[in-house]
Amino acid sequence: MNNSAFLPSAAYRLYDRYCHGEIDRRAFFDGLGRVAGGAAAASAMAAALLPNYALAQQVKPDDPRIRTERFSYDSPDGAGKMQGLLARPKEVIEVPAVLVVHENRGLNPYVEDVARRLALEGYVALAPDALFPLGGYPGNDDDGRAMQRERDRAEMVADFRAGALAVRGHEQSTGKLGAVGFCFGGYVVNELAVTMPELDAAVPYYGGWPEASQAEDLSAALMVQLAGLDDRVNAGWPPYEEALLEAGKSYSAHIYEGVNHGFHNDSTSRYDEEAAELSWERTLAFFKEQLS
């Protein structure tokens, strides 16, 4: 199902700007009013765009096949103390580790569910919450975005790097390490791929790019996942891809045509079932190949 056909493209562009802090909530609703032709229609349109996290739960928190817990770790170059959701197979066997990096609004239920999905696939997965030093994800994305803007970006990257090392060193980990992230999390995964030799496999979903000069430092196997309609993020891919080629680095990249930024997030109407499932199949196959 391609949900991109449900609403006008202008509505998705407004939501993208709103999600990334370019406009505030009032400007978002005012813009929707102009697109929809009235306040009532704008409210209905907003209801379709804003997340409904009940839709995103594919794996229940109490699923008997996995173990979940709040996991604390040290981050000396970041917040000092950090915490996230750790999910792992119930059977106590050594499995590869995967870091899961959230969007620009803290560890919301969608990203927690992604960690549980990975546990079902045979990984020990850690999804840190960059908002933990501020009290944790507040229960809604508006406040979460505002809180995350209070944090220093370099310190947050350090927090995720420390989280990656912590899950890699978990007693159930084989020591092989992957990372997957979405939006802001895609940016973090791209950064870790060029700054963290311990990272074996990186899958950034529609995230920002490192500096072209960093391409020569890529050490992780890299699979890039992009949305065809995501002009903002995609504009940075050609120069970074050129830098990777010039540095002789191997990678794979998939662009899913006709879908919006955030197509993997099944809590909003930007979700595209076909692209999300195909990209996730590719992600799992990539991790299996690189982390076995």
Side-chain angles (χ1 to χ4, degrees), residues 1-36:
M1 179 172 56
N2 185 345
N3 288 340
S4 301
F6 289 176
L7 296 173
S9 58
Y12 288 106
R13 288 194 294 270
L14 279 166
Y15 183 63
D16 189 68
R17 294 181 66 198
Y18 174 54
C19 277
H20 296 94
E22 296 179 17
I23 57 175
D24 62 17
R25 188 176 181 87
R26 180 174 179 177
F28 171 57
F29 274 87
D30 286 348
L32 287 182
R34 290 189 292 272
V35 171

Side-chain angles (χ1 to χ4, degrees), residues 67-82:
R67 303 169 185 263
T68 61
E69 62 188 275
R70 294 294 159 180
F71 180 81
S72 299
Y73 63 92
D74 294 327
S75 178
D77 296 324
K81 294 291 184 180
M82 279 290 295

